[in-house]
mmCIF file of all heavy atoms in Angstrom:
data_model
loop_
_atom_site.group_PDB
_atom_site.id
_atom_site.type_symbol
_atom_site.label_atom_id
_atom_site.label_comp_id
_atom_site.label_asym_id
_atom_site.label_seq_id
_atom_site.Cartn_x
_atom_site.Cartn_y
_atom_site.Cartn_z
ATOM 1 N N PRO A 30 -5.355 68.700 -96.913
ATOM 2 C CA PRO A 30 -4.101 68.680 -96.156
ATOM 3 C C PRO A 30 -3.852 70.013 -95.458
ATOM 4 O O PRO A 30 -4.238 71.076 -95.940
ATOM 5 C CB PRO A 30 -3.035 68.444 -97.234
ATOM 6 C CG PRO A 30 -3.758 67.854 -98.388
ATOM 7 C CD PRO A 30 -5.140 68.420 -98.339
ATOM 8 N N ILE A 31 -3.189 69.928 -94.323
ATOM 9 C CA ILE A 31 -2.779 71.118 -93.573
ATOM 10 C C ILE A 31 -1.259 71.165 -93.670
ATOM 11 O O ILE A 31 -0.568 70.227 -93.248
ATOM 12 C CB ILE A 31 -3.256 71.040 -92.117
ATOM 13 C CG1 ILE A 31 -4.777 70.932 -92.095
ATOM 14 C CG2 ILE A 31 -2.764 72.246 -91.329
ATOM 15 C CD1 ILE A 31 -5.349 70.565 -90.748
ATOM 16 N N VAL A 32 -0.752 72.260 -94.239
ATOM 17 C CA VAL A 32 0.668 72.371 -94.541
ATOM 18 C C VAL A 32 1.364 73.264 -93.517
ATOM 19 O O VAL A 32 0.914 74.376 -93.251
ATOM 20 C CB VAL A 32 0.866 72.929 -95.969
ATOM 21 C CG1 VAL A 32 2.347 73.079 -96.288
ATOM 22 C CG2 VAL A 32 0.176 72.029 -97.002
ATOM 23 N N GLY A 33 2.444 72.761 -92.960
ATOM 24 C CA GLY A 33 3.278 73.531 -92.049
ATOM 25 C C GLY A 33 2.898 73.359 -90.590
ATOM 26 O O GLY A 33 1.735 73.167 -90.241
ATOM 27 N N ARG A 34 3.928 73.420 -89.745
ATOM 28 C CA ARG A 34 3.736 73.252 -88.303
ATOM 29 C C ARG A 34 2.701 74.236 -87.762
ATOM 30 O O ARG A 34 1.811 73.865 -87.002
ATOM 31 C CB ARG A 34 5.072 73.425 -87.577
ATOM 32 C CG ARG A 34 4.915 73.431 -86.074
ATOM 33 C CD ARG A 34 6.201 73.524 -85.287
ATOM 34 N NE ARG A 34 7.223 74.299 -85.920
ATOM 35 C CZ ARG A 34 8.522 74.022 -85.826
ATOM 36 N NH1 ARG A 34 8.948 72.995 -85.140
ATOM 37 N NH2 ARG A 34 9.405 74.789 -86.414
ATOM 38 N N GLN A 35 2.809 75.503 -88.142
ATOM 39 C CA GLN A 35 1.902 76.501 -87.574
ATOM 40 C C GLN A 35 0.451 76.223 -87.952
ATOM 41 O O GLN A 35 -0.448 76.375 -87.128
ATOM 42 C CB GLN A 35 2.304 77.919 -87.987
ATOM 43 C CG GLN A 35 1.615 78.981 -87.155
ATOM 44 C CD GLN A 35 1.867 78.794 -85.658
ATOM 45 O OE1 GLN A 35 3.008 78.707 -85.223
ATOM 46 N NE2 GLN A 35 0.813 78.705 -84.867
ATOM 47 N N GLY A 36 0.206 75.793 -89.186
ATOM 48 C CA GLY A 36 -1.153 75.447 -89.599
ATOM 49 C C GLY A 36 -1.720 74.284 -88.797
ATOM 50 O O GLY A 36 -2.893 74.278 -88.415
ATOM 51 N N ILE A 37 -0.880 73.300 -88.528
ATOM 52 C CA ILE A 37 -1.306 72.142 -87.743
ATOM 53 C C ILE A 37 -1.622 72.568 -86.309
ATOM 54 O O ILE A 37 -2.649 72.169 -85.738
ATOM 55 C CB ILE A 37 -0.227 71.042 -87.780
ATOM 56 C CG1 ILE A 37 -0.082 70.516 -89.217
ATOM 57 C CG2 ILE A 37 -0.555 69.918 -86.795
ATOM 58 C CD1 ILE A 37 1.155 69.665 -89.446
ATOM 59 N N ILE A 38 -0.774 73.414 -85.736
ATOM 60 C CA ILE A 38 -1.003 73.888 -84.362
ATOM 61 C C ILE A 38 -2.261 74.747 -84.310
ATOM 62 O O ILE A 38 -3.079 74.607 -83.390
ATOM 63 C CB ILE A 38 0.226 74.658 -83.838
ATOM 64 C CG1 ILE A 38 1.452 73.752 -83.794
ATOM 65 C CG2 ILE A 38 -0.062 75.273 -82.464
ATOM 66 C CD1 ILE A 38 1.297 72.465 -83.019
ATOM 67 N N ASP A 39 -2.457 75.602 -85.296
ATOM 68 C CA ASP A 39 -3.662 76.440 -85.340
ATOM 69 C C ASP A 39 -4.918 75.578 -85.395
ATOM 70 O O ASP A 39 -5.912 75.875 -84.723
ATOM 71 C CB ASP A 39 -3.626 77.397 -86.532
ATOM 72 C CG ASP A 39 -2.585 78.494 -86.377
ATOM 73 O OD1 ASP A 39 -2.049 78.682 -85.261
ATOM 74 O OD2 ASP A 39 -2.298 79.154 -87.401
ATOM 75 N N ARG A 40 -4.892 74.503 -86.178
ATOM 76 C CA ARG A 40 -6.052 73.598 -86.251
ATOM 77 C C ARG A 40 -6.303 72.946 -84.892
ATOM 78 O O ARG A 40 -7.437 72.856 -84.433
ATOM 79 C CB ARG A 40 -5.836 72.524 -87.301
ATOM 80 C CG ARG A 40 -7.012 71.539 -87.375
ATOM 81 C CD ARG A 40 -6.729 70.466 -88.411
ATOM 82 N NE ARG A 40 -7.869 69.624 -88.655
ATOM 83 C CZ ARG A 40 -8.089 68.464 -88.027
ATOM 84 N NH1 ARG A 40 -7.255 68.045 -87.103
ATOM 85 N NH2 ARG A 40 -9.154 67.734 -88.324
ATOM 86 N N ASN A 41 -5.236 72.503 -84.244
ATOM 87 C CA ASN A 41 -5.390 71.900 -82.919
ATOM 88 C C ASN A 41 -5.931 72.910 -81.913
ATOM 89 O O ASN A 41 -6.779 72.580 -81.094
ATOM 90 C CB ASN A 41 -4.056 71.335 -82.434
ATOM 91 C CG ASN A 41 -3.802 69.951 -82.957
ATOM 92 O OD1 ASN A 41 -4.279 68.972 -82.413
ATOM 93 N ND2 ASN A 41 -3.053 69.866 -84.044
ATOM 94 N N ARG A 42 -5.443 74.128 -81.982
ATOM 95 C CA ARG A 42 -5.904 75.175 -81.068
ATOM 96 C C ARG A 42 -7.402 75.441 -81.277
ATOM 97 O O ARG A 42 -8.161 75.550 -80.314
ATOM 98 C CB ARG A 42 -5.082 76.455 -81.281
ATOM 99 C CG ARG A 42 -5.393 77.532 -80.265
ATOM 100 C CD ARG A 42 -4.460 78.730 -80.414
ATOM 101 N NE ARG A 42 -3.216 78.464 -79.689
ATOM 102 C CZ ARG A 42 -2.009 78.374 -80.250
ATOM 103 N NH1 ARG A 42 -1.844 78.554 -81.534
ATOM 104 N NH2 ARG A 42 -0.950 78.120 -79.513
ATOM 105 N N LEU A 43 -7.830 75.528 -82.528
ATOM 106 C CA LEU A 43 -9.246 75.751 -82.831
ATOM 107 C C LEU A 43 -10.093 74.595 -82.309
ATOM 108 O O LEU A 43 -11.100 74.809 -81.635
ATOM 109 C CB LEU A 43 -9.448 75.928 -84.340
ATOM 110 C CG LEU A 43 -10.901 76.049 -84.798
ATOM 111 C CD1 LEU A 43 -11.540 77.317 -84.223
ATOM 112 C CD2 LEU A 43 -10.977 76.046 -86.316
ATOM 113 N N ARG A 44 -9.675 73.374 -82.608
ATOM 114 C CA ARG A 44 -10.435 72.210 -82.143
ATOM 115 C C ARG A 44 -10.439 72.126 -80.621
ATOM 116 O O ARG A 44 -11.437 71.748 -80.022
ATOM 117 C CB ARG A 44 -9.866 70.937 -82.746
ATOM 118 C CG ARG A 44 -10.134 70.864 -84.254
ATOM 119 C CD ARG A 44 -9.714 69.577 -84.821
ATOM 120 N NE ARG A 44 -10.671 68.569 -84.404
ATOM 121 C CZ ARG A 44 -10.544 67.279 -84.677
ATOM 122 N NH1 ARG A 44 -9.519 66.857 -85.338
ATOM 123 N NH2 ARG A 44 -11.450 66.420 -84.274
ATOM 124 N N GLY A 45 -9.319 72.495 -79.994
ATOM 125 C CA GLY A 45 -9.225 72.454 -78.533
ATOM 126 C C GLY A 45 -10.107 73.479 -77.859
ATOM 127 O O GLY A 45 -10.542 73.290 -76.729
ATOM 128 N N SER A 46 -10.400 74.586 -78.553
ATOM 129 C CA SER A 46 -11.281 75.595 -77.974
ATOM 130 C C SER A 46 -12.740 75.161 -78.028
ATOM 131 O O SER A 46 -13.576 75.678 -77.309
ATOM 132 C CB SER A 46 -11.108 76.931 -78.711
ATOM 133 O OG SER A 46 -11.624 76.848 -80.026
ATOM 134 N N GLU A 47 -13.014 74.186 -78.897
ATOM 135 C CA GLU A 47 -14.389 73.720 -79.085
ATOM 136 C C GLU A 47 -14.659 72.358 -78.449
ATOM 137 O O GLU A 47 -15.806 71.947 -78.347
ATOM 138 C CB GLU A 47 -14.690 73.609 -80.587
ATOM 139 C CG GLU A 47 -14.530 74.900 -81.343
ATOM 140 C CD GLU A 47 -14.583 74.705 -82.853
ATOM 141 O OE1 GLU A 47 -14.470 73.553 -83.324
ATOM 142 O OE2 GLU A 47 -14.741 75.712 -83.557
ATOM 143 N N SER A 48 -13.601 71.640 -78.071
ATOM 144 C CA SER A 48 -13.803 70.267 -77.616
ATOM 145 C C SER A 48 -12.664 69.800 -76.712
ATOM 146 O O SER A 48 -11.621 70.436 -76.614
ATOM 147 C CB SER A 48 -13.902 69.336 -78.830
ATOM 148 O OG SER A 48 -12.733 69.434 -79.622
ATOM 149 N N ILE A 49 -12.912 68.668 -76.081
ATOM 150 C CA ILE A 49 -11.921 67.990 -75.265
ATOM 151 C C ILE A 49 -11.596 66.678 -75.981
ATOM 152 O O ILE A 49 -12.499 65.910 -76.311
ATOM 153 C CB ILE A 49 -12.454 67.720 -73.849
ATOM 154 C CG1 ILE A 49 -12.777 69.051 -73.169
ATOM 155 C CG2 ILE A 49 -11.467 66.891 -73.044
ATOM 156 C CD1 ILE A 49 -13.585 68.915 -71.901
ATOM 157 N N VAL A 50 -10.317 66.442 -76.221
ATOM 158 C CA VAL A 50 -9.899 65.275 -76.990
ATOM 159 C C VAL A 50 -9.203 64.279 -76.071
ATOM 160 O O VAL A 50 -8.367 64.649 -75.254
ATOM 161 C CB VAL A 50 -8.941 65.698 -78.134
ATOM 162 C CG1 VAL A 50 -8.461 64.483 -78.907
ATOM 163 C CG2 VAL A 50 -9.615 66.700 -79.060
ATOM 164 N N ASP A 51 -9.573 63.020 -76.215
ATOM 165 C CA ASP A 51 -8.941 61.924 -75.483
ATOM 166 C C ASP A 51 -8.498 60.894 -76.526
ATOM 167 O O ASP A 51 -9.323 60.431 -77.318
ATOM 168 C CB ASP A 51 -9.924 61.299 -74.498
ATOM 169 C CG ASP A 51 -9.343 60.083 -73.798
ATOM 170 O OD1 ASP A 51 -8.243 60.193 -73.240
ATOM 171 O OD2 ASP A 51 -9.994 59.018 -73.833
ATOM 172 N N ILE A 52 -7.206 60.572 -76.540
ATOM 173 C CA ILE A 52 -6.656 59.667 -77.544
ATOM 174 C C ILE A 52 -6.042 58.459 -76.858
ATOM 175 O O ILE A 52 -5.326 58.598 -75.869
ATOM 176 C CB ILE A 52 -5.563 60.372 -78.379
ATOM 177 C CG1 ILE A 52 -6.123 61.613 -79.064
ATOM 178 C CG2 ILE A 52 -4.961 59.416 -79.410
ATOM 179 C CD1 ILE A 52 -5.066 62.498 -79.684
ATOM 180 N N THR A 53 -6.301 57.283 -77.410
ATOM 181 C CA THR A 53 -5.622 56.067 -76.987
ATOM 182 C C THR A 53 -5.001 55.449 -78.227
ATOM 183 O O THR A 53 -5.701 55.228 -79.216
ATOM 184 C CB THR A 53 -6.596 55.072 -76.336
ATOM 185 O OG1 THR A 53 -7.220 55.708 -75.223
ATOM 186 C CG2 THR A 53 -5.872 53.815 -75.881
ATOM 187 N N GLN A 54 -3.694 55.200 -78.183
ATOM 188 C CA GLN A 54 -2.977 54.619 -79.316
ATOM 189 C C GLN A 54 -2.529 53.202 -78.983
ATOM 190 O O GLN A 54 -2.061 52.953 -77.877
ATOM 191 C CB GLN A 54 -1.718 55.423 -79.633
ATOM 192 C CG GLN A 54 -1.938 56.879 -79.923
ATOM 193 C CD GLN A 54 -0.609 57.596 -80.078
ATOM 194 O OE1 GLN A 54 0.144 57.323 -80.996
ATOM 195 N NE2 GLN A 54 -0.318 58.509 -79.163
ATOM 196 N N GLN A 55 -2.676 52.305 -79.947
ATOM 197 C CA GLN A 55 -2.067 50.983 -79.839
ATOM 198 C C GLN A 55 -1.067 50.882 -80.983
ATOM 199 O O GLN A 55 -1.449 50.846 -82.153
ATOM 200 C CB GLN A 55 -3.111 49.879 -79.913
ATOM 201 C CG GLN A 55 -3.919 49.768 -78.643
ATOM 202 C CD GLN A 55 -4.895 48.606 -78.651
ATOM 203 O OE1 GLN A 55 -5.290 48.109 -79.704
ATOM 204 N NE2 GLN A 55 -5.297 48.187 -77.467
ATOM 205 N N VAL A 56 0.203 50.866 -80.635
ATOM 206 C CA VAL A 56 1.281 50.853 -81.616
ATOM 207 C C VAL A 56 1.289 49.526 -82.356
ATOM 208 O O VAL A 56 1.235 48.454 -81.751
ATOM 209 C CB VAL A 56 2.642 51.071 -80.923
ATOM 210 C CG1 VAL A 56 3.773 51.045 -81.940
ATOM 211 C CG2 VAL A 56 2.637 52.378 -80.141
ATOM 212 N N ASP A 57 1.354 49.621 -83.683
ATOM 213 C CA ASP A 57 1.478 48.427 -84.512
ATOM 214 C C ASP A 57 2.924 48.173 -84.898
ATOM 215 O O ASP A 57 3.415 47.069 -84.814
ATOM 216 C CB ASP A 57 0.663 48.567 -85.806
ATOM 217 C CG ASP A 57 -0.821 48.497 -85.574
ATOM 218 O OD1 ASP A 57 -1.253 47.690 -84.744
ATOM 219 O OD2 ASP A 57 -1.546 49.256 -86.226
ATOM 220 N N ASP A 58 3.586 49.238 -85.344
ATOM 221 C CA ASP A 58 4.910 49.044 -85.902
ATOM 222 C C ASP A 58 5.693 50.347 -85.860
ATOM 223 O O ASP A 58 5.124 51.424 -86.074
ATOM 224 C CB ASP A 58 4.781 48.576 -87.359
ATOM 225 C CG ASP A 58 6.105 48.181 -87.983
ATOM 226 O OD1 ASP A 58 6.890 47.483 -87.319
ATOM 227 O OD2 ASP A 58 6.345 48.576 -89.134
ATOM 228 N N VAL A 59 6.967 50.244 -85.590
ATOM 229 C CA VAL A 59 7.896 51.377 -85.689
ATOM 230 C C VAL A 59 9.123 50.854 -86.415
ATOM 231 O O VAL A 59 9.729 49.874 -85.977
ATOM 232 C CB VAL A 59 8.297 51.925 -84.302
ATOM 233 C CG1 VAL A 59 9.311 53.060 -84.449
ATOM 234 C CG2 VAL A 59 7.078 52.392 -83.524
ATOM 235 N N GLN A 60 9.459 51.498 -87.521
ATOM 236 C CA GLN A 60 10.656 51.146 -88.278
ATOM 237 C C GLN A 60 11.573 52.354 -88.300
ATOM 238 O O GLN A 60 11.111 53.470 -88.568
ATOM 239 C CB GLN A 60 10.299 50.744 -89.714
ATOM 240 C CG GLN A 60 9.470 49.486 -89.813
ATOM 241 C CD GLN A 60 10.257 48.253 -89.422
ATOM 242 O OE1 GLN A 60 11.420 48.084 -89.781
ATOM 243 N NE2 GLN A 60 9.620 47.371 -88.658
ATOM 244 N N VAL A 61 12.834 52.154 -88.017
ATOM 245 C CA VAL A 61 13.806 53.241 -87.993
ATOM 246 C C VAL A 61 14.891 52.941 -89.021
ATOM 247 O O VAL A 61 15.413 51.817 -89.078
ATOM 248 C CB VAL A 61 14.439 53.390 -86.593
ATOM 249 C CG1 VAL A 61 15.525 54.457 -86.598
ATOM 250 C CG2 VAL A 61 13.368 53.699 -85.551
ATOM 251 N N HIS A 62 15.212 53.953 -89.820
ATOM 252 C CA HIS A 62 16.308 53.847 -90.777
ATOM 253 C C HIS A 62 17.080 55.159 -90.734
ATOM 254 O O HIS A 62 16.611 56.174 -91.252
ATOM 255 C CB HIS A 62 15.778 53.563 -92.187
ATOM 256 C CG HIS A 62 16.848 53.311 -93.190
ATOM 257 N ND1 HIS A 62 17.613 52.170 -93.177
ATOM 258 C CD2 HIS A 62 17.300 54.061 -94.205
ATOM 259 C CE1 HIS A 62 18.482 52.228 -94.169
ATOM 260 N NE2 HIS A 62 18.318 53.365 -94.809
ATOM 261 N N HIS A 63 18.187 55.125 -90.045
ATOM 262 C CA HIS A 63 19.019 56.320 -89.833
ATOM 263 C C HIS A 63 18.203 57.394 -89.105
ATOM 264 O O HIS A 63 17.759 57.145 -88.000
ATOM 265 C CB HIS A 63 19.633 56.817 -91.138
ATOM 266 C CG HIS A 63 20.484 55.788 -91.812
ATOM 267 N ND1 HIS A 63 21.688 55.364 -91.294
ATOM 268 C CD2 HIS A 63 20.285 55.079 -92.946
ATOM 269 C CE1 HIS A 63 22.200 54.435 -92.092
ATOM 270 N NE2 HIS A 63 21.374 54.241 -93.091
ATOM 271 N N ASP A 64 17.986 58.541 -89.747
ATOM 272 C CA ASP A 64 17.269 59.651 -89.106
ATOM 273 C C ASP A 64 15.798 59.719 -89.515
ATOM 274 O O ASP A 64 15.144 60.755 -89.329
ATOM 275 C CB ASP A 64 17.955 60.982 -89.431
ATOM 276 C CG ASP A 64 19.319 61.088 -88.766
ATOM 277 O OD1 ASP A 64 19.562 60.351 -87.785
ATOM 278 O OD2 ASP A 64 20.145 61.891 -89.225
ATOM 279 N N TRP A 65 15.294 58.638 -90.079
ATOM 280 C CA TRP A 65 13.894 58.569 -90.501
ATOM 281 C C TRP A 65 13.213 57.406 -89.801
ATOM 282 O O TRP A 65 13.837 56.375 -89.547
ATOM 283 C CB TRP A 65 13.796 58.381 -92.016
ATOM 284 C CG TRP A 65 14.255 59.583 -92.762
ATOM 285 C CD1 TRP A 65 15.517 59.825 -93.216
ATOM 286 C CD2 TRP A 65 13.471 60.716 -93.117
ATOM 287 N NE1 TRP A 65 15.559 61.042 -93.836
ATOM 288 C CE2 TRP A 65 14.319 61.616 -93.799
ATOM 289 C CE3 TRP A 65 12.138 61.065 -92.927
ATOM 290 C CZ2 TRP A 65 13.866 62.831 -94.287
ATOM 291 C CZ3 TRP A 65 11.690 62.277 -93.425
ATOM 292 C CH2 TRP A 65 12.550 63.139 -94.091
ATOM 293 N N ALA A 66 11.923 57.571 -89.529
ATOM 294 C CA ALA A 66 11.149 56.490 -88.907
ATOM 295 C C ALA A 66 9.727 56.518 -89.444
ATOM 296 O O ALA A 66 9.212 57.571 -89.826
ATOM 297 C CB ALA A 66 11.135 56.649 -87.390
ATOM 298 N N THR A 67 9.119 55.352 -89.464
ATOM 299 C CA THR A 67 7.678 55.268 -89.698
ATOM 300 C C THR A 67 7.058 54.715 -88.419
ATOM 301 O O THR A 67 7.644 53.870 -87.739
ATOM 302 C CB THR A 67 7.313 54.362 -90.885
ATOM 303 O OG1 THR A 67 7.844 53.053 -90.671
ATOM 304 C CG2 THR A 67 7.823 54.937 -92.195
ATOM 305 N N TYR A 68 5.874 55.219 -88.123
ATOM 306 C CA TYR A 68 5.138 54.840 -86.915
ATOM 307 C C TYR A 68 3.711 54.576 -87.349
ATOM 308 O O TYR A 68 3.084 55.424 -88.003
ATOM 309 C CB TYR A 68 5.190 56.007 -85.932
ATOM 310 C CG TYR A 68 4.309 55.877 -84.703
ATOM 311 C CD1 TYR A 68 4.820 55.341 -83.524
ATOM 312 C CD2 TYR A 68 2.997 56.323 -84.717
ATOM 313 C CE1 TYR A 68 4.022 55.247 -82.390
ATOM 314 C CE2 TYR A 68 2.194 56.232 -83.584
ATOM 315 C CZ TYR A 68 2.719 55.689 -82.431
ATOM 316 O OH TYR A 68 1.929 55.603 -81.315
ATOM 317 N N THR A 69 3.199 53.402 -87.034
ATOM 318 C CA THR A 69 1.804 53.103 -87.338
ATOM 319 C C THR A 69 1.107 52.651 -86.070
ATOM 320 O O THR A 69 1.699 51.972 -85.217
ATOM 321 C CB THR A 69 1.647 52.031 -88.433
ATOM 322 O OG1 THR A 69 2.292 50.826 -88.016
ATOM 323 C CG2 THR A 69 2.222 52.502 -89.758
ATOM 324 N N CYS A 70 -0.158 53.045 -85.963
ATOM 325 C CA CYS A 70 -0.938 52.647 -84.802
ATOM 326 C C CYS A 70 -2.424 52.631 -85.149
ATOM 327 O O CYS A 70 -2.848 53.165 -86.170
ATOM 328 C CB CYS A 70 -0.691 53.575 -83.615
ATOM 329 S SG CYS A 70 -1.465 55.195 -83.756
ATOM 330 N N LEU A 71 -3.171 52.018 -84.277
ATOM 331 C CA LEU A 71 -4.620 52.105 -84.270
ATOM 332 C C LEU A 71 -4.951 53.057 -83.126
ATOM 333 O O LEU A 71 -4.419 52.906 -82.025
ATOM 334 C CB LEU A 71 -5.245 50.730 -84.021
ATOM 335 C CG LEU A 71 -6.759 50.675 -83.908
ATOM 336 C CD1 LEU A 71 -7.423 51.127 -85.209
ATOM 337 C CD2 LEU A 71 -7.205 49.263 -83.560
ATOM 338 N N ALA A 72 -5.760 54.054 -83.408
ATOM 339 C CA ALA A 72 -6.076 55.051 -82.382
ATOM 340 C C ALA A 72 -7.583 55.161 -82.179
ATOM 341 O O ALA A 72 -8.360 55.080 -83.134
ATOM 342 C CB ALA A 72 -5.523 56.415 -82.789
ATOM 343 N N ARG A 73 -7.952 55.333 -80.924
ATOM 344 C CA ARG A 73 -9.340 55.681 -80.581
ATOM 345 C C ARG A 73 -9.305 57.157 -80.217
ATOM 346 O O ARG A 73 -8.535 57.578 -79.359
ATOM 347 C CB ARG A 73 -9.855 54.861 -79.409
ATOM 348 C CG ARG A 73 -11.318 55.232 -79.062
ATOM 349 C CD ARG A 73 -11.837 54.479 -77.873
ATOM 350 N NE ARG A 73 -11.022 54.807 -76.711
ATOM 351 C CZ ARG A 73 -10.658 53.915 -75.785
ATOM 352 N NH1 ARG A 73 -11.003 52.663 -75.857
ATOM 353 N NH2 ARG A 73 -9.933 54.296 -74.757
ATOM 354 N N ILE A 74 -10.162 57.921 -80.864
ATOM 355 C CA ILE A 74 -10.204 59.365 -80.639
ATOM 356 C C ILE A 74 -11.602 59.720 -80.149
ATOM 357 O O ILE A 74 -12.581 59.579 -80.884
ATOM 358 C CB ILE A 74 -9.878 60.131 -81.938
ATOM 359 C CG1 ILE A 74 -8.532 59.657 -82.478
ATOM 360 C CG2 ILE A 74 -9.898 61.629 -81.704
ATOM 361 C CD1 ILE A 74 -8.308 59.933 -83.935
ATOM 362 N N ARG A 75 -11.656 60.154 -78.887
ATOM 363 C CA ARG A 75 -12.928 60.583 -78.300
ATOM 364 C C ARG A 75 -12.921 62.097 -78.216
ATOM 365 O O ARG A 75 -11.961 62.695 -77.735
ATOM 366 C CB ARG A 75 -13.105 60.013 -76.904
ATOM 367 C CG ARG A 75 -13.362 58.536 -76.886
ATOM 368 C CD ARG A 75 -13.642 58.066 -75.481
ATOM 369 N NE ARG A 75 -13.937 56.648 -75.504
ATOM 370 C CZ ARG A 75 -13.629 55.807 -74.536
ATOM 371 N NH1 ARG A 75 -13.033 56.249 -73.447
ATOM 372 N NH2 ARG A 75 -13.917 54.532 -74.637
ATOM 373 N N VAL A 76 -13.993 62.699 -78.669
ATOM 374 C CA VAL A 76 -14.114 64.151 -78.648
ATOM 375 C C VAL A 76 -15.397 64.496 -77.915
ATOM 376 O O VAL A 76 -16.476 64.017 -78.264
ATOM 377 C CB VAL A 76 -14.146 64.730 -80.084
ATOM 378 C CG1 VAL A 76 -14.295 66.233 -80.064
ATOM 379 C CG2 VAL A 76 -12.896 64.319 -80.854
ATOM 380 N N SER A 77 -15.265 65.304 -76.867
ATOM 381 C CA SER A 77 -16.447 65.742 -76.127
ATOM 382 C C SER A 77 -16.442 67.262 -76.043
ATOM 383 O O SER A 77 -15.418 67.912 -76.235
ATOM 384 C CB SER A 77 -16.476 65.116 -74.730
ATOM 385 O OG SER A 77 -15.303 65.430 -74.028
#
């Protein structure tokens, strides 16, 4: 696991310096309950 916003951004920055990422998401479900939501999807992740 990567903990904290900065750690997640640092990982993305590192991966972005080494590759080009293309993502396609197909949303399956979004449930909202007050200020919380769950989001599920099927994603294709291409890395070049």
Side-chain angles (χ1 to χ4, degrees):
I31 300 168
V32 179
R34 173 177 33 214
Q35 194 56 54
I37 295 167
I38 298 306
D39 290 347
R40 178 182 188 266
N41 276 277
R42 187 174 276 117
L43 175 64
R44 291 186 74 184
S46 69
E47 301 169 345
S48 58
I49 298 167
V50 178
D51 175 52
I52 302 169
T53 302
Q54 303 174 65
Q55 286 184 338
V56 179
D57 289 321
D58 187 44
V59 177
Q60 295 291 318
V61 176
H62 186 70
H63 301 291
D64 292 340
W65 292 92
T67 57
Y68 171 93
T69 59
C70 74
L71 177 62
R73 180 182 61 219
I74 305 159
R75 289 185 178 147
V76 179
S77 57

